[in-house]
Amino acid sequence: MIGFFGGSFDPIHFGHLKNATTIKKELNLSELFLMPCATPVHKSKLRFSAKQRLDMLRLAVQEFSELSIDTREIDKQSPSYTIDSLKQIHTEHPNDKIFFIMGADSFDNITSWKKYQQLSDYATLVVLPRIGSKQTNNKDVYFSKAPLVNISSTQIRSKIDAQQSLSGLLPESIIHYLQHL
Ligand code: ATP
């Protein structure tokens, strides 16, 4: 059983990292891959380049060594659709059960995703709790019991702009990286 956690990670933070670690244990996954997108389909321009976001993911997995990185979407450079990545992953791992992990805010918008009804043909969707999201019920989806982590990349970007401390929001190695950009 393997898991894929997609996102823009602009930048990656403890909300992603703590949840990824919890869900890996909760589902007893052999591997959990953070899968950064190149050009996000549902967001306007990102703050950090693909290389910078990947640099920060690499720093993160030095600390969270139970996590891995899958670069297929970032390598493609063009907009990435989850359905296409999951189809590819499913072909590569015909005998593995595949999970796709997302926050509840992403799940709230899933009907805007390309071929969203087919996602569950290739992976079991796992939804992490997030503040402000609607409480939905869906029998095809696994709702994680992971504790709520109230951190977002938006909050971190605002703090960078306001020159406020980022301590406790993301790993110190990434804070150091951001200070030297
Ligand atoms: P932004 O604030 O820029 O929208 P974000 O913090 O939501 O970014 P993304 O990289 O867009 O981060 O998130 C990737 C995935 O991780 C999404 O499915 C999102 O819902 C989920 N996620 C992000 N932060 C959290 C969190 N604190 N708890 C649970 N899920 C999260």
Side-chain angles (χ1 to χ4, degrees):
M1 300 206 291
I2 51 176
F4 291 81
F5 190 174
S8 40
F9 304 116
D10 187 38
I12 191 160
H13 52 69
F14 284 141
H16 303 120
L17 293 163
K18 288 184 179 164
N19 273 301
T21 307
T22 308
I23 202 74
K24 183 169 184 250
K25 282 203 204 98
E26 190 176 326
L27 297 175
N28 198 17
L29 304 176
S30 55
E31 271 197 284
L32 187 306
F33 294 91
L34 302 165
M35 186 167 67
C37 63
T39 317
V41 182
H42 296 286
K43 283 188 184 183
S44 50
K45 208 174 164 301
L46 298 178
R47 167 76 65 100
F48 298 102
S49 70
K51 180 190 176 294
Q52 289 168 336
R53 290 181 294 119
L54 191 53
D55 283 348
M56 291 188 272
L57 256 74
R58 292 201 169 114
L59 290 170
V61 300
Q62 280 178 18
E63 188 170 323
F64 289 75
S65 55
E66 64 276 47
L67 304 177
S68 312
I69 303 171
D70 184 307
T71 61
R72 74 183 65 228
E73 293 192 349
I74 228 164
D75 292 341
K76 240 177 59 181
Q77 312 259 313
S78 52
S80 3
Y81 293 97
T82 301
I83 187 72
D84 300 329
S85 304
L86 289 182
K87 260 188 205 173
Q88 220 181 51
I89 291 164
H90 181 75
T91 310
E92 289 166 15
H93 300 271
N95 302 318
D96 261 326
K97 187 166 167 58
I98 297 159
F99 291 86
F100 183 76
I101 295 130
M102 68 180 92
D105 57 319
S106 300
F107 185 66
D108 285 345
N109 295 316
I110 200 148
T111 54
S112 66
W113 292 24
K114 180 182 163 188
K115 297 187 183 163
Y116 74 96
Q117 283 129 324
Q118 290 176 27
L119 292 168
S120 54
D121 294 345
Y122 303 101
T124 300
L125 302 186
V126 177
V127 177
L128 301 166
R130 221 168 168 196
I131 278 185
S133 81
K134 301 174 213 133
Q135 289 293 315
T136 9
N137 263 325
N138 186 319
K139 63 175 174 41
D140 296 325
V141 176
Y142 176 82
F143 289 91
S144 165
K145 291 152 200 74
L148 204 68
V149 186
N150 191 17
I151 301 175
S152 70
S153 300
T154 304
Q155 172 195 9
I156 291 169
R157 293 192 300 272
S158 309
K159 283 189 181 281
I160 294 171
D161 290 340
Q163 299 188 328
Q164 289 170 354
S165 166
L166 302 179
S167 183
L169 300 175
L170 65 176
E172 283 299 323
S173 57
I174 302 182
I175 296 177
H176 186 259
Y177 176 92
L178 289 167
Q179 281 163 347
H180 291 85
L181 280 181

